[in-house]
């Protein structure tokens, strides 16, 4: 009958799970091993997604740019599998650049709470970030938070 029997699994195939491509290998037809992807958290991949966001900003498609920056941030969100400190620093810088770009997009769309959150995230890591302070100040001005804007 229909729907009975084990699923049809080829010996090796690629499956899309969330944002990562995962290799699925079958030991038997009814037993599947899921092999985690190689480290997908590197600055080059984050920067590639950031460039896609930049391209959407250039085309004035701000909502799509926000999604691309969000995807880049998600890729670089965790550095648990990176042992090289220099690589971790570059990853943090790439994610910060994405958050700053996304904050600019939120500012353009008047999504002030999201802009403020992205700026605060960057300032938690780098309290002297001029772009974050500037965008945070513009956000505070738009929200009529004059005292907070003066501090930014």
């Amino acid at each position: 009958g229909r729907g009975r029997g084990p699923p049809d699994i080829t010996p090796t195939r690629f499956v899309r799970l969330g944002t990562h491509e995962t290799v699925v290998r079958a030991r038997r037809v009814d037993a599947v091993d899921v092999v985690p992807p190689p480290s997908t958290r590197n600055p080059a991949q984050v920067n590639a997604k950031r460039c896609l966001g930049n391209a959407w900003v250039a085309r004035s498609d701000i909502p799509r740019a926000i999604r691309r920056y969000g995807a880049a941030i998600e890729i670089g969100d965790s550095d648990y599998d990176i042992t090289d400190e220099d690589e971790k620093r570059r990853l943090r810088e790439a994610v910060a650049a994405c958050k700053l770009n996304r904050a600019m997009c939120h500012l353009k769309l008047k999504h002030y709470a999201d802009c403020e959150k992205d700026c605060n995230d960057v300032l938690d890591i780098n309290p002297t970030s001029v772009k974050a302070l500037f965008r945070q100040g513009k956000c505070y001005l738009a929200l009529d938070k004059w005292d907070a804007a003066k501090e930014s």
Side-chain angles (χ1 to χ4, degrees):
R2 247 186 120 106
R4 292 185 172 239
D8 181 31
I9 298 176
T10 56
T12 300
R13 72 177 180 168
F14 293 94
V15 179
R16 187 111 173 129
L17 299 173
T19 57
H20 304 293
E21 188 172 65
T22 303
V23 179
V24 177
R25 290 193 186 107
R27 277 190 307 241
R28 300 185 315 259
V29 177
D30 59 343
V32 176
D33 284 335
V34 176
V35 180
S39 178
T40 55
R41 302 179 191 322
N42 70 50
Q45 289 176 322
V46 173
N47 285 326
K49 287 281 187 189
R50 182 173 53 86
C51 288
L52 290 174
N54 294 348
W56 287 115
V57 168
R59 292 185 187 114
S60 298
D61 192 341
I62 304 304
R64 200 171 257 169
I66 289 173
R67 288 194 300 272
R68 292 300 163 263
Y69 294 135
I73 292 164
E74 188 177 311
I75 289 170
D77 206 20
S78 173
D79 61 3
Y80 74 91
D81 57 346
I82 299 175
T83 55
D84 182 25
E85 288 303 316
D86 219 29
E87 187 79 4
K88 283 185 180 187
R89 180 188 51 76
R90 285 194 302 274
L91 183 64
R92 281 192 303 270
E93 289 171 357
V95 168
C98 292
K99 286 186 178 184
L100 287 170
N101 288 0
R102 190 170 70 175
M104 175 202 56
C105 292
H106 285 308
L107 201 56
K108 284 184 178 188
L109 295 178
K110 299 181 181 176
H111 299 162
Y112 300 121
D114 294 327
C115 175
E116 185 177 6
K117 183 188 179 318
D118 281 342
C119 290
N120 286 334
D121 288 349
V122 172
L123 290 169
D124 286 343
I125 296 166
N126 179 7
T128 61
S129 171
V130 174
K131 277 187 180 180
L133 290 167
F134 176 72
R135 291 186 179 143
Q136 185 184 51
K138 286 182 76 168
C139 181
Y140 287 150
L141 283 174
L143 294 171
D144 289 331
K145 296 181 178 179
W146 298 100
D147 293 332
K150 283 184 213 175
E151 290 177 20
S152 281

